[in-house]
Amino acid sequence: MAGQLCQIQQNIKEGKHRDNPGGWISITAGDMLPSGKPVMCSSVEGNISVGGGLMAGPGGYKGPIYFSPCKMFPRGSKVRPWLFGNWWNLDGRSEPQLVGMGVRLGETGIVTQAVGNAEDRIEYGGSNIRIRTDNNTPLSSLIPGRIRALHSESLFGFLQARSWIDKCDKTHSCKPQNQALPSRVLVIDESSSSGKIQLLETRGFIGRYVALSHCWGLSHRIVTTKANLNDMKRGIVVEDLPRTFRDAVVITHLLGIIYLWIDSLCIIQDDAQDWEREAALMGDVYANSYLTIAASSSTDDSSGCFPSQDDRCSMSHISSDNRSLGRPTLANAAPMIYLQPGNPVPAFAVMQTVACLEHVPRSGGQKTMLYFSEEWMPTSLKKKPRTYQIGKFGGSFDPLDREPLSKRAWTLQERLLAPRVLHYGKEQMYWECQEGLFPEDGAIFPRVFPSMRTLLDLPAPDLARSLQGLHLGVDNATPKFTFDSKGVLAWGDAWLKLIEKYTRRSLTREEDKFPALSGLARSIASYTKDTYHAGIWKSYLMQGLFWEVYAFEPYHFCNNPEHDTDTAEKSSVRRLEKYRAPSWSWAAFDAKIEFKPLKKELVAECLECITPAAGEDQFGRLKEGGYIKLRAPLLSLYFTPSRHVPGSANPTPFTTNVSATFRTKYTTLVCEGSAKFDQEPEFPCSAVFLDMVHALIVNRDAAGWKRIGIVSFSERDISVADFEMGRDERIAWRFGEGVDGIVIIK
């Protein structure tokens, strides 16, 4: 059997069975081939699950058809099952890679002569056999698929991590250089075998270090304080550390790196000045790290970096490829590998029908394990291979988005700034660097989560140099502003999308809203020379003001406006006990927010924007007294009952119908608009227009104007000529005389 499959493999490699659609075939142990030879030899029967099935034909997978090969294909029969390879290209330059294998029926191996096909019609059904192998084998350069480790902390898991690091060091542009160490680090050297590590004041030493990104949780069994600082310098017993920290120590030690940075141990937690200073530098810590370890699956510092065997086996794992395709598929199709204590032979955790085959080259040499599982992949031809990257053949997504670590606000800047991250996820490990995201199962993701390169549009060869100048505090980085086709800052739009993600994350302490983002903000300011105001950049200020509380408001065209209210939902809004930001900032309260686009032709001007810092960190906490002074048209808003017109879209439940009077240059118009209040509608109120149709909703109390929502009006009353006018002419044309005033919003 091994020899027969090896010959099939060789035929596929040589292209004898390429360009073919098909499905899956498995033969019951003991069956005979038409030639009279056994399908399997006894030495491999035990590795292949019992049960035969044939899945082939037009339209892809149709369900199993059970059969006896001898009866279906007797001697002399012209129709035979033909095995073929599903070939994909990794990067557009290398040779095609074997991702899957399939079967079709036909008299020959020619695709147009297959059952259901013709010269002018070919049914591509994809392949239903997925093939995987191990790293560093003769076939690993031909087959991208891999199997996952059952235990991420095992030797198998560590070798996978080591291979990612080595490849990045040798072939990627994101390899970091030795940098100035953080103010304090933990020392993990050979003396750590005694069971202790030490806290070290670095005083500007240069070196390589690992940083830990983790969820704090509520346990906090050990932190550095003013009282125990000297004790921590003398030595910390590793066994006294919470499990997540112990795991990070082990990983760092195995990588041969002697310095480790953990926030709760390297920052004095009850020293306000030290905390503010070090929190402001936290962006530099992650940006300059040799590697960041992300305990992605952990919920607190006692959970550990490595998921337990029970947790991993209880997961319904869908491979990255199949999840991207979004079609019904088999969960836990591929096996997981693990090593049993005292047994050098690897074992496998198998939950579905799989086949394991040991491939031995005819000429001798290193053996290769091949793993076959039932997973469908769309067809890709060897003559014209498609790109093997998530999002190229299916939907794009971030596989780490559902991890506990991705729900915490602090970790957003940690992931974005770190040039290289080793993620220990619930289902598998991931390697993330500037080149992409690479899961343990061998799939390839583009960099879906933003990085400093994608955020600021940095050229790849200049990344290391740019970031070094950026994060070491050197004030010689050249400002770089990239404008898109509409003339707006490309990176400014990316920042707003990042803030939308950020507002969906949680904080233990509400006052950390700005500190948890200050490292990233400082880095961007150092490079762009832009000014930061309460989470909004000066060069993108008007667009940054126009946000709303996120709401899901489905609607359809019918005569019953009540049909949509059951599924509509709006983000909760939590007002704060203490001041955190002015009312016009997205950080004024806790809620999921969403930015809405403005028109290019603005009518508002910012005369002054003041956001005083509460401490030394200009990107951190704010003290009360911030405001923005706008010169803009100001109109009163009035509540207007909604009038549903049959056949039109129903009013959405969180939208309030309002009206305003526009006394234009030639006539007076009462126009209706759609208002989105941050919380409940408040009247009386006014609209401060940012462009011709979009405005902030404000109301006035004893303290002054405050933002309470946004409103949008229809464009149907605006002449095209408006856009050929200057600002003052546009205001007179659209709003009339005497409405352009000074508004100070606090």
Side-chain angles (χ1 to χ4, degrees), residues 696-718:
L696 303 181
I697 303 176
V698 295
N699 68 359
R700 196 169 192 172
D701 58 18
W705 292 102
K706 290 186 178 180
R707 177 219 139 100
I708 57 173
I710 63 171
V711 62
S712 299
F713 289 85
S714 171
E715 296 182 61
R716 63 178 177 268
D717 300 319
I718 302 177

Side-chain angles (χ1 to χ4, degrees), residues 83 121 127 182 190 222 267 285 434 471 517 550 593 723 744:
L83 186 66
R121 186 189 74 255
S127 62
E190 293 303 323
I222 180 171
I267 300 175
V285 170
Q434 303 300 317
H471 297 296
L517 207 59
Y550 173 77
I593 64 100
F723 304 118
I744 299 177

Side-chain angles (χ1 to χ4, degrees), residues 69-143:
C70 294
K71 293 179 181 179
M72 181 70 76
F73 310 112
R75 188 183 299 276
S77 173
K78 293 183 179 181
V79 176
R80 289 283 187 273
W82 294 85
L83 186 66
F84 67 91
N86 199 346
W87 298 89
W88 293 72
N89 198 292
L90 297 187
D91 54 14
R93 299 184 300 272
S94 60
E95 290 296 315
Q97 306 279 296
L98 181 62
V99 172
M101 303 169 69
V103 173
R104 70 163 185 275
L105 300 179
E107 295 184 9
T108 71
I110 302 174
V111 62
T112 56
Q113 297 178 6
V115 174
N117 289 346
E119 292 293 337
D120 60 347
R121 186 189 74 255
I122 298 177
E123 297 284 351
Y124 289 109
S127 62
N128 214 66
I129 305 174
R130 187 63 189 273
I131 182 171
R132 292 179 168 85
T133 189
D134 299 322
N135 284 325
N136 304 316
T137 67
L139 294 180
S140 59
S141 60
L142 174 70
I143 301 171

Side-chain angles (χ1 to χ4, degrees), residues 186-208:
L186 300 166
V187 181
I188 306 169
D189 55 20
E190 293 303 323
S191 63
S192 299
S193 59
S194 63
K196 286 188 176 183
I197 58 176
Q198 292 178 300
L199 185 64
L200 174 69
E201 301 271 2
T202 62
R203 297 182 177 85
F205 295 164
I206 302 296
R208 294 191 308 178

Side-chain angles (χ1 to χ4, degrees), residues 565-581:
T565 57
D566 291 340
T567 55
E569 58 178 305
K570 182 178 179 179
S571 169
S572 61
V573 177
R574 190 175 70 87
R575 294 288 179 181
L576 309 177
E577 295 182 2
K578 296 182 179 179
Y579 179 88
R580 188 170 69 189

Side-chain angles (χ1 to χ4, degrees), residues 13 38 226 245 255 312 400 470 589 671 712:
K13 187 174 181 181
K226 290 185 285 186
F245 297 177
L255 291 175
R312 185 153 286 180
L400 294 161
L470 175 63
F589 46 76
C671 299
S712 299

Side-chain angles (χ1 to χ4, degrees), residues 633-640 656-661 673-689 695-701 704-711 713 743:
L634 178 67
L635 297 180
S636 297
L637 292 179
Y638 303 94
F639 172 74
T640 304
T656 303
N657 208 51
V658 296
S659 61
T661 301
S674 298
K676 298 287 186 71
F677 288 90
D678 297 335
Q679 291 185 293
E680 296 300 320
E682 297 182 39
F683 293 96
C685 59
S686 301
V688 179
F689 281 82
L696 303 181
I697 303 176
V698 295
N699 68 359
R700 196 169 192 172
D701 58 18
W705 292 102
K706 290 186 178 180
R707 177 219 139 100
I708 57 173
I710 63 171
V711 62
F713 289 85
V743 184

Side-chain angles (χ1 to χ4, degrees), residues 105 156 215 222 224-225 248 359 365 377 386 399 401 415 450 639 660 722:
L105 300 179
F156 184 86
C215 291
I222 180 171
T224 296
T225 63
H359 171 266
M377 278 291 288
R386 301 165 66 181
D401 195 47
R415 182 180 175 189
F639 172 74
D722 296 349

